[in-house]
Amino acid sequence: RVLHTELDTDCIPRAELPDFAPTFCQALENGAVFRGHQTSNDKKYEVEVRFKHVDVGHSVLCGDLTIFGLTEQYPEMTTYFDAEIVGTRHSFETQRWETDERIDAQHWSRFASFKAMFGDRLPQSYDFMANEYIYMRWKEQFLVPDPTVRAVK
């Protein structure tokens, strides 16, 4: 399953800097933690995202996504994900996972920030280092701590 979501997030303040607002580089660093909400099928779920490893040079990262209250069986569920940062290395066009340019354009244009900049069309290029918004394509890999679980009811 591919997770494409716009998280309504606030960075968790660091203990030594209680009113700290992260800069771009601090938001994309190993150990960064974000809390916010994910909306799915008109339901809003509290989520926490932890970046485990960030490689800005290769525009990739990985981490854990914890979602709260999704199912009765798993009231707190954590999945491991790999991600691509959309930019000079990875375009807005997925080019895999049974999708096409039309589906990608439809998906990305649901984000207000994308729609304001590009409308309903995928841009030919995007430099996340020179823009206010960072877009990512996440691919959930497995449930933590049990990677053998492939489906949740």
Side-chain angles (χ1 to χ4, degrees):
R1 179 177 119 199
V2 179
L3 174 68
H4 290 288
T5 188
E6 183 172 29
L7 293 177
D8 173 21
T9 63
D10 295 313
C11 208
I12 296 174
R14 296 174 185 224
E16 67 273 15
L17 300 166
D19 296 324
F20 180 71
T23 64
F24 171 83
C25 292
Q26 292 160 326
L28 282 179
E29 70 178 8
N30 297 342
V33 179
F34 303 88
R35 286 192 181 136
H37 296 92
Q38 175 180 341
T39 304
S40 177
N41 298 328
D42 296 327
K43 292 187 179 181
K44 196 172 188 177
Y45 301 98
E46 183 182 340
V47 296
E48 181 176 282
V49 174
R50 293 180 180 276
F51 292 165
K52 300 294 185 183
H53 177 74
V54 178
D55 183 342
V56 174
H58 289 97
S59 299
V60 294
L61 59 92
C62 64
D64 295 333
L65 166 73
T66 301
I67 188 165
F68 302 92
L70 184 64
T71 69
E72 287 184 27
Q73 181 183 7
Y74 296 97
E76 182 177 315
M77 186 169 53
T78 301
T79 58
Y80 170 84
F81 66 89
D82 289 317
E84 298 171 343
I85 303 168
V86 174
T88 55
R89 286 184 179 258
H90 306 286
S91 73
F92 282 100
E93 192 173 347
T94 304
Q95 301 174 347
R96 59 186 176 288
W97 300 320
E98 300 178 14
T99 188
D100 59 29
E101 186 176 349
R102 180 188 58 78
I103 292 170
D104 283 334
Q106 189 176 49
H107 164 75
W108 290 112
S109 65
R110 287 187 282 176
F111 301 115
S113 58
F114 180 94
K115 187 113 174 143
M117 287 188 290
F118 307 114
D120 296 329
R121 303 183 70 83
L122 298 179
Q124 294 301 309
S125 63
Y126 183 77
D127 182 0
F128 70 90
M129 297 290 279
N131 282 283
E132 180 180 1
Y133 298 99
I134 302 170
Y135 298 95
M136 296 178 215
R137 181 178 297 105
W138 295 6
K139 174 70 172 165
E140 291 181 270
Q141 300 294 340
F142 54 82
L143 196 62
V144 176
D146 187 354
T148 63
V149 175
R150 292 290 175 205
V152 176
K153 296 178 182 175

